Amino acid sequence: MSACATERLRELWEHLSFFTVSEVVARQPEDVLYIELRKPPIGTYANGEKLYNGVYRRDEVPGSADFRTLHDVPAHLREDARIVWKQFTATTQEGASFTYDGFRELDFIHDATLDFESRRNAPYCPRLPVPGELICGTTTGSDEGVLDRWFFCDDAFRLLVTSVRNGPSHSEEELGRLLLTEGYPDTYWALARLALFDNVQAFVDALAAGSPARTVGQLFMGHPVPESDPAAARRVRHPAHGRIHGRTEVDWNGMYLGLELSRFVHEVSNLLEPAWWEEFLTLADAQGVDHAHPGLGGICKACMAADPDWYTNGFPYQTPEDREEIQRRRAELRS
């Protein structure tokens, strides 16, 4: 465990508390912003949740711009309609209250440590909380009975915070199963592998095995896609392999993150423990493992810290040969 990293995380998460939703008050039509009319589902996810094929434009359903209650929606569209709220009030079993305005969506991609950062945290609340649901928030304002900031969370995030505060009570492999979350499912586990176990080698091994899914950079910016090594893949088989989690089955090796693995290490290293990035570069070089960051683009906070004038100078660490390679790869993709 890295004392420097865990201390920094404890500082970032010092004011976080967990609450269970007790009651939610949202009225139709007073608190409704608009009603989204989803097109008929085209299938289901692994957990049975409906997979929708987009939403109707307002000109496709006459009068839909004025719908403010579900009773306004035509009967054949009502089952798949979704209310988008502009306000609500709610209370928790612990006696705290919270409102729509206090919601902050934590950005796993740009804020790898999940701390509150106003320019990244979106205030748009996607849905109503549900009684019995777990949320996380802070009461740093003058009224300790009101959450000034809150977000939806799960038992995995609570376990991660508890493990950072008190030390891990599970092995690294066990946490791989317990810290699965929605969105990019291994975000919490990846952070725990660095902060709680100092395991930089795991990221090098995962890169050697090949990416579990294509990143945005690989899809659109010409970043290389490492060829999968079957032997390496077996070594980094996900500990929850074969399990249904949320909408998907865990069928990948390594870690499924929103960032390319090397960029994730660079971001988190810059925030928590600089030695991790240096160790990663040393290990990757010694073991002949290629990675996309930062030579082939992919700007991050660590890059900007290394070169505050990166916008003028180009991507940090990027040579003219790197730029030529990027342009070549982009041309190949366009063709």
Side-chain angles (χ1 to χ4, degrees):
M1 179 186 293
S2 168
C4 174
T6 51
E7 183 59 32
R8 174 60 177 148
L9 280 176
R10 287 167 186 159
E11 291 175 1
L12 289 172
W13 296 344
E14 178 182 3
H15 299 292
L16 290 184
S17 298
F18 295 91
F19 304 87
T20 303
V21 178
S22 173
E23 184 181 9
V24 181
V25 178
R27 303 163 299 172
Q28 300 180 48
E30 297 93 329
D31 299 333
V32 175
L33 181 61
Y34 64 90
I35 296 182
E36 181 180 84
L37 304 178
R38 295 180 287 199
K39 295 182 179 180
I42 58 175
T44 58
Y45 292 102
N47 63 352
E49 183 180 339
K50 293 180 180 179
L51 171 61
Y52 289 99
N53 186 28
V55 299
Y56 290 104
R57 300 190 310 270
R58 291 186 174 184
D59 61 348
E60 292 180 296
V61 182
S64 61
D66 299 321
F67 293 168
R68 290 298 181 272
T69 73
L70 288 178
H71 291 297
D72 298 333
V73 179
H76 68 286
L77 299 176
R78 196 172 298 158
E79 181 181 349
D80 297 319
R82 185 179 75 91
I83 297 176
V84 178
W85 302 91
K86 62 182 177 182
Q87 60 187 20
F88 60 78
T89 58
T91 56
T92 71
Q93 294 178 8
E94 294 77 13
S97 63
F98 62 100
T99 66
Y100 177 103
D101 294 335
F103 178 79
R104 294 294 183 272
E105 182 67 81
L106 291 179
D107 188 334
F108 295 166
I109 296 179
H110 294 100
D111 299 319
T113 54
L114 312 181
D115 55 320
F116 287 109
E117 186 176 333
S118 59
R119 66 186 175 84
R120 294 293 189 191
N121 299 149
Y124 166 73
C125 187
R127 61 177 178 83
L128 282 182
V130 178
E133 184 173 21
L134 186 67
I135 65 170
C136 184
T138 65
T139 56
T140 55
S142 57
D143 188 348
E144 294 186 358
V146 178
L147 303 185
D148 50 8
R149 297 179 298 187
W150 65 274
F151 58 94
F152 297 108
C153 75
D154 53 19
D155 289 329
F157 184 63
R158 179 163 57 181
L159 175 59
L160 175 63
V161 174
T162 302
S163 298
V164 167
R165 287 174 173 171
N166 304 327
S169 56
H170 301 276
S171 69
E172 185 174 345
E173 183 171 321
E174 288 173 331
L175 287 176
R177 293 185 286 270
L178 295 172
L179 292 181
L180 282 168
T181 188
E182 296 302 316
Y184 298 106
D186 291 321
T187 300
Y188 301 158
W189 187 39
L191 189 57
R193 299 185 87 173
L194 289 173
L196 301 179
F197 299 97
D198 279 316
N199 190 355
V200 177
Q201 180 65 54
F203 292 82
V204 179
D205 291 341
L207 276 168
S211 177
R214 299 293 176 90
T215 65
V216 172
Q218 289 166 350
L219 287 172
F220 303 111
M221 297 178 63
H223 292 182
V225 180
E227 292 186 10
S228 179
D229 180 336
R234 285 193 294 272
R235 290 196 297 271
V236 295
R237 182 171 180 168
H238 198 285
H241 199 278
R243 169 180 164 186
I244 298 296
H245 173 72
R247 294 177 170 181
T248 61
E249 178 182 354
V250 181
D251 59 357
W252 58 87
N253 299 308
M255 290 167 281
Y256 194 161
L257 306 177
L259 296 178
E260 195 272 337
L261 289 163
S262 54
R263 179 178 168 186
F264 182 91
V265 176
H266 200 199
E267 284 259 16
V268 176
S269 176
N270 179 64
L271 292 166
L272 301 178
E273 175 55 84
W276 287 334
W277 180 240
E278 296 304 320
E279 182 181 354
F280 173 84
L281 293 176
T282 301
L283 291 172
D285 182 62
Q287 296 167 35
V289 176
D290 293 328
H291 58 90
H293 185 76
L296 287 174
I299 197 69
C300 72
K301 291 178 182 177
C303 292
M304 288 185 272
D307 183 1
D309 297 322
W310 67 270
Y311 188 81
T312 301
N313 300 335
F315 287 116
Y317 316 107
Q318 203 176 79
T319 66
E321 291 76 15
D322 290 330
R323 296 188 184 93
E324 289 178 6
E325 179 67 7
I326 290 173
Q327 295 302 321
R328 185 185 67 78
R329 291 179 182 276
R330 287 176 177 169
E332 288 179 355
L333 286 173
R334 283 193 292 267
S335 63

